[in-house]
Amino acid sequence: MEKKNKVTMNDIAREAGVSQATVSLILNNAQSIKLSDETRSRVINTAQMLGYKKIPSPEKVDGQEEIAIIINAMPSYDPFVDALAQAREAAWRNDSLLTIYDYDDDIALALRIIRQLEQRSCAGIILASPITRCIDFSFFDRCTALPLVLLNVYDRAYPLQSTFLPDDYANALQVTRHLINQGARRIAHIMGDDWMDASHHRLSGYRAALEHANIPFDEALVVKTNWRLDETHQATKKVMQLSSRPDAIFCSSDWMTLGCYQALAEMEIKVPQDILIAGYDDQRIAEQLMPKLTSVQLPYAELGRAAVEYLCQGEYISTHVKMAGKLQIRGSTQR
């Protein structure tokens, strides 16, 4: 009898036409992110159809034993790891110990963790996410007397809640301005998931840079994807087949540029001789591509350190930090 391959979240994402991140949020019963009921139903139905076995029940079971993982090194490929590293060092400098818990969008689990922290000597809580996004903070509002700040997440309904965020608008603005300064006039923008506010903030920064340079906005040059390489590959070919094709492409993540580079190579279009390419978030891969990729470095290290120092200072005045990153200019935008 032939052995069936294990169904993965990537399989479900491919069949449902969404990103793996979206599948993960839905299958983990994430209620703190705003996704449409249609998308949730489509992913769950697809998972059931493919025979995925780990579709959790909405009901949580109390009284579970606690299992702790003590990890001595975080993976280094995700830029948000910089926030954790600097937060740990800032806590150490302030005679505090930073502990990290992964609640995986399980609100009930997060609240149980907070209740345990209330029984110990805890100076404050940082509610964080590796993906910049809007959450429903009402689950956490007034659940604890401990000081609580938001790192890389926010809720518009709680304007007084202290938050520490990267400035996606300003970052996209400086990437697009750099491409314009390099002589580009038809700049394509390949977006990520439409449900992410960060995608729209980057689009707004891109449009603002064009407006400041008196360059007309062309909708045909903007393509929405869901972060997958095959979609970036298709989006790149789509804009390069326009009658008036772009002279630069701004991708919403460094990871997406892999699909972009591949499509251009298939079309025998050279980077940077024929077209300029810029990414976003300055992952390690940016230094390893040929040519090396121009990208904007997200200020996660500074934000993680600032969030810890805010809690350690003991004066909890509402504060909102939005910080731009640093543009790293490399060969992909230098003719």
Side-chain angles (χ1 to χ4, degrees):
M1 183 175 179
E2 185 180 355
K3 185 178 180 180
K4 293 184 178 179
N5 293 328
K6 181 180 178 181
V7 178
T8 67
M9 288 190 181
N10 280 327
D11 297 328
I12 299 168
R14 183 168 52 251
E15 187 69 23
V18 299
S19 66
Q20 191 274 338
T22 301
V23 173
S24 177
L25 289 168
I26 292 172
L27 295 186
N28 283 297
N29 279 332
Q31 301 300 318
S32 59
I33 184 83
K34 298 173 177 62
L35 293 170
S36 69
D37 292 338
E38 187 276 333
T39 300
R40 290 183 184 274
S41 297
R42 176 152 47 96
V43 168
I44 290 173
N45 291 338
T46 301
Q48 292 173 336
M49 179 189 70
L50 294 177
Y52 189 74
K53 302 299 184 184
K54 296 182 179 179
I55 302 176
S57 168
E59 298 180 358
K60 305 295 180 182
V61 179
D62 289 326
Q64 294 174 319
E65 290 184 336
E66 182 177 355
I67 298 176
I69 298 178
I70 303 175
I71 187 166
N72 66 355
M74 294 292 292
S76 60
Y77 58 83
D78 192 318
F80 190 72
V81 171
D82 292 339
L84 303 180
Q86 287 299 314
R88 182 195 63 225
E89 291 188 13
W92 186 254
R93 287 195 302 270
N94 286 274
D95 295 324
S96 297
L97 178 67
L98 183 73
T99 56
I100 299 173
Y101 299 86
D102 183 358
Y103 74 100
D104 202 17
D105 280 298
D106 184 334
I107 299 299
L109 173 59
L111 296 180
R112 286 201 294 271
I113 292 171
I114 290 173
R115 286 196 291 269
Q116 289 186 21
L117 292 172
E118 289 175 329
Q119 306 304 313
R120 305 202 291 270
S121 178
C122 181
I125 298 170
I126 299 173
L127 183 62
S129 168
I131 301 172
T132 307
R133 68 189 197 187
C134 179
I135 65 168
D136 186 350
F137 186 69
S138 63
F139 291 104
F140 302 93
D141 184 35
R142 291 186 292 275
C143 74
T144 180
L146 292 173
L148 194 152
V149 300
L150 305 182
L151 173 61
N152 214 30
V153 295
Y154 59 97
D155 188 340
R156 299 184 197 90
Y158 289 81
L160 298 181
Q161 186 62 40
S162 294
T163 56
F164 297 81
L165 295 169
D167 194 336
D168 285 299
Y169 172 89
N171 290 337
L173 181 71
Q174 63 175 315
V175 172
T176 311
R177 277 180 172 171
H178 167 69
L179 294 172
I180 294 171
N181 291 338
Q182 293 300 106
R185 289 299 177 267
R186 284 187 58 76
I187 303 172
H189 180 43
I190 302 179
M191 296 176 58
D193 266 319
D194 194 44
W195 59 263
M196 293 180 63
D197 284 348
S199 296
H200 292 278
H201 294 157
R202 293 171 198 181
L203 176 62
S204 295
Y206 157 82
R207 295 191 63 163
L210 296 180
E211 183 179 350
H212 295 165
N214 294 316
I215 298 175
F217 172 71
D218 185 350
E219 289 186 1
L221 291 174
V222 176
V223 185
K224 297 177 181 179
T225 72
N226 60 12
W227 308 111
R228 285 169 32 177
L229 298 188
D230 58 341
E231 291 211 3
T232 308
H233 181 277
Q234 295 167 13
T236 301
K237 287 198 167 183
K238 179 180 178 180
V239 297
M240 296 307 296
Q241 289 167 354
L242 294 172
S243 57
S244 180
R245 71 187 195 183
D247 49 16
I249 298 177
F250 168 27
C251 293
S252 283
S253 82
D254 292 350
W255 173 251
M256 295 168 70
T257 60
L258 292 175
C260 182
Y261 269 47
Q262 182 183 31
L264 294 172
E266 291 172 4
M267 301 174 75
E268 298 184 344
I269 298 172
K270 295 181 179 179
V271 181
Q273 294 90 334
D274 302 326
I275 190 167
L276 307 180
I277 305 295
Y280 194 98
D281 61 30
D282 199 36
Q283 295 190 33
R284 178 177 294 181
I285 194 173
E287 283 275 6
Q288 298 174 353
L289 288 172
M290 293 294 293
K292 294 181 179 181
L293 180 67
T294 290
S295 185
V296 64
Q297 186 180 63
L298 295 178
Y300 284 143
E302 295 84 352
L303 291 170
R305 181 170 60 248
V308 168
E309 290 175 347
Y310 170 83
L311 290 174
C312 291
Q313 72 181 2
E315 297 178 5
Y316 308 120
I317 301 172
S318 178
T319 185
H320 298 82
V321 175
K322 186 171 281 191
M323 194 177 297
K326 181 180 179 182
L327 185 65
Q328 303 293 335
I329 300 173
R330 302 187 180 97
S332 67
T333 60
Q334 293 180 313
R335 290 195 174 99

